[in-house]
Amino acid sequence: MDPSRRSVLGVALLPVVLTLPDRPDAVGRMEAAQLGARTRIGLSDVHTVSAMTEQLSSMDDQFGGRVARPLAAAFLVNTVVPFLRTSGPENVRKAMMSAAADLCYLTGYMAVDEGLHGLAQRYYLQALELAGASEDHLTFCTTLRGMSVQAVDLGQGPVAMRLADAAAAASPQAGPRMRAFLAGQQAHAAAQTGDRRSALMYLQEAEFAMDKAEARGKTFGSYDPASLSYHTSQVRFEMGDVHGAVAAMQESDRLRYSVYRRTRVKERAILAERQLATGHLEAACKTWGFALDDYPLVNSGRIDKRMTDMFNLIRPHIRNHDAQALYERARETVRPELIPA
């Protein structure tokens, strides 16, 4: 790619662009859109947006929101918005709005990972608008669920419950894997509100739906048994069963695909916190050590917060050999600004 073309696309996006299956054609379409040289869009442009979104999602899974979100935002502003402003057949325009909705949802999810919750809300609302306009029920309910995840992680149980219920209502014809995806979040939100009965009902529903989904064949890259075990852990923790929460989180860690590195680091940190809460200091230190193995490869606000929490939690146990070794290793591994004074 010559320097003039590189300046149009932006150097930061090049590693993502290079992974596209029809890279030469895709690059030309993207550049033409940015320069205002396109007069009509086609399905090939929609496929370009979808392929880029998939690659950006993989980057987010591996390296965290702080790495992937600026790239997604640049692609959205510089390429997708011009595509949306370009004329084309009605079916193509609806497909482009749907693809843009999916990218907005993903970018919002990345912003949550950075800890930029107001920005995430704006992306989520844009995703809902585009999904509604394109009649994309899947992205509409997925975005509502994402907003519920954001709310429950912020401790806003009633809001999370309303959003999780709205997501389920927006997808009445969901297949078993999608139903598990939605019911698992409903279970977590219900547990946080103290509604034990509903939490267990939704969790059972998610388990039943997952059994049906897995019987039809495993699907990589979607809600899977590791995700269900994570929700099981969260429900048990919210209901006061910390030992059960630890066991379910360990199962989630065992089942998780290796490509989900950011999730692995985050959830190992959560597991360590809960192991410590049950009085297993040495096991907690070992789990935090596993999280530190991958930490330098991930740039995530959520994980950074967990690392700061780790320092505060192990400091009272610093005379323990394992705790002291972990503390010293963490001081050499994590970003200096995360180490409490």
Side-chain angles (χ1 to χ4, degrees), residues 17 22 64 71 79 85 100 103 106 114 122 126 142 174 184 188 200 216 228 234 252 257 263-264 269 286 290 328 332:
V17 175
D22 59 343
L71 302 179
T79 301
R85 291 172 175 166
L103 178 59
L106 174 65
E114 290 182 271
R122 292 194 289 275
Q126 187 65 66
T142 298
H188 186 186
L200 294 175
R216 295 184 182 183
L228 179 58
Q234 295 292 60
S252 178
Y257 290 112
T263 299
R264 182 169 67 242
K286 184 176 181 180
F290 288 144
E328 293 305 319
E332 298 174 357

Side-chain angles (χ1 to χ4, degrees), residues 27 38 49-50 59 67 70 138 207 211 216 261 279 305 333:
V27 168
R38 294 295 299 276
V49 173
S50 297
M59 288 188 67
V67 172
L138 175 62
E207 291 168 350
D211 285 342
R216 295 184 182 183
R261 181 164 56 208
K305 183 182 183 305
T333 305

Side-chain angles (χ1 to χ4, degrees), residues 116-265:
L116 304 175
H117 293 287
L119 179 62
Q121 284 287 310
R122 292 194 289 275
Y123 279 118
Y124 281 155
L125 291 173
Q126 187 65 66
L128 289 176
E129 183 177 339
L130 287 163
S134 60
E135 301 178 20
D136 181 348
H137 300 291
L138 175 62
T139 300
F140 192 87
C141 74
T142 298
T143 301
L144 287 171
R145 181 191 179 277
M147 296 171 76
S148 176
V149 171
Q150 180 186 23
V152 82
D153 287 348
L154 292 172
Q156 300 171 358
V159 175
M161 191 73 248
R162 288 196 298 272
L163 288 165
D165 286 344
S171 185
Q173 304 301 320
R177 195 173 300 276
M178 187 66 179
R179 185 60 215 136
F181 176 72
L182 297 169
Q185 179 58 25
Q186 286 177 294
H188 186 186
Q192 193 172 91
T193 66
D195 187 349
R196 179 187 181 91
R197 178 178 172 278
S198 294
L200 294 175
M201 178 191 72
Y202 285 126
L203 190 60
Q204 186 176 42
E205 185 177 343
E207 291 168 350
F208 179 72
M210 181 57 68
D211 285 342
K212 289 181 65 176
E214 289 292 291
R216 295 184 182 183
K218 295 182 179 179
T219 304
F220 180 74
S222 62
Y223 196 79
D224 58 19
S227 306
L228 179 58
S229 292
Y230 168 78
H231 273 135
T232 301
S233 178
Q234 295 292 60
V235 169
R236 290 177 178 173
F237 181 77
E238 295 287 357
M239 296 194 308
D241 179 10
V242 183
H243 288 280
V246 166
M249 194 68 82
Q250 287 173 323
E251 179 70 359
S252 178
D253 187 60
R254 185 184 70 80
L255 294 172
R256 186 173 303 107
Y257 290 112
S258 60
V259 296
Y260 299 120
R261 181 164 56 208
R262 187 264 314 284
T263 299
R264 182 169 67 242
V265 178

Side-chain angles (χ1 to χ4, degrees), residues 301-313:
R302 287 186 294 179
I303 291 173
D304 280 352
K305 183 182 183 305
R306 294 287 177 185
M307 291 296 116
T308 298
D309 291 343
M310 176 192 68
F311 280 110
N312 292 325
L313 288 168

